[in-house]
Amino acid sequence: MDKIQAQFAKLWKLLTAPETFDTYKSAVVMTWTIIKETALLVWLVLCLVLVFADWFWKISVGAGRSTRAWFNGLEGSSEQIASETGRALLNAGKSSLDYTLNQARAQLGFEIPAPAPAKVEPVKTEPVKAEPVKAEPVKAEPAVTAPPPVVTKAEAIADE
């Protein structure tokens, strides 16, 4: 039992020492400062994310509206434009892939195949049916005559 009392007295002396209180106090103060600064950083990052999201939203909506206005201003049906755009994107992607593959073959020392001839699809046209045009009688308008010439006083005196 003496050992327990001695150990308890030793621990109590250590816990009640002024240095122990100062050490724990500075640890708590430092921890609170770290938590406060971390919270401030998180708040600023959240504000930055919100501002960036608002900016991105406005730019995206503006770009979408201007693209829609541009698309609506194009001539032709939307299906035709979409089809031609898709075909153009497909051709661009295919040619980019072919170029990349040819570069890879060249780097490896393989033979580069000759490009395949482009397939030309015949254009299907339907004959135009001519409908008779009903002619309406043309109304004759009276001929426009030129106004009489303007004669100045000097010309009138010279003619007399």
Side-chain angles (χ1 to χ4, degrees):
M1 188 79 164
D2 289 335
K3 281 187 169 186
I4 293 175
Q5 285 180 345
Q7 185 62 36
F8 181 76
K10 192 176 182 182
L11 178 63
W12 185 253
K13 185 178 174 185
L14 188 63
L15 287 175
T16 57
E19 299 89 30
T20 305
F21 178 74
D22 291 339
T23 303
Y24 280 116
K25 180 182 172 188
S26 65
V28 168
V29 168
M30 183 58 70
T31 303
W32 176 249
T33 304
I34 290 172
I35 290 172
K36 190 170 67 170
E37 296 300 322
T38 303
L40 181 61
L41 178 64
V42 168
W43 172 250
L44 291 175
V45 168
L46 178 66
C47 290
L48 178 66
V49 167
L50 290 174
V51 168
F52 177 74
D54 180 56
W55 171 80
F56 184 75
W57 178 263
K58 287 178 183 177
I59 295 296
S60 299
V61 168
R65 286 182 179 158
S66 64
T67 302
R68 175 50 94 183
W70 168 77
F71 186 75
N72 288 341
L74 293 176
E75 293 181 13
S77 69
S78 59
E79 292 85 17
Q80 179 186 10
I81 293 170
S83 173
E84 290 175 8
T85 303
R87 210 174 291 126
L89 287 172
L90 185 64
N91 287 339
K94 185 178 180 325
S95 64
S96 297
L97 182 63
D98 288 342
Y99 175 78
T100 304
L101 285 174
N102 286 338
Q103 290 297 319
R105 286 183 183 119
Q107 295 265 329
L108 295 173
F110 293 127
E111 180 180 333
I112 299 174
K119 294 181 182 179
V120 178
E121 296 181 18
V123 178
K124 296 179 183 179
T125 58
E126 295 181 18
V128 178
K129 296 179 182 178
E131 295 182 16
V133 178
K134 295 181 182 178
E136 294 187 21
V138 178
K139 295 180 182 178
E141 295 183 15
V144 178
T145 57
V150 178
V151 179
T152 61
K153 278 188 175 181
E155 290 174 342
I157 294 174
D159 286 340
E160 291 180 358

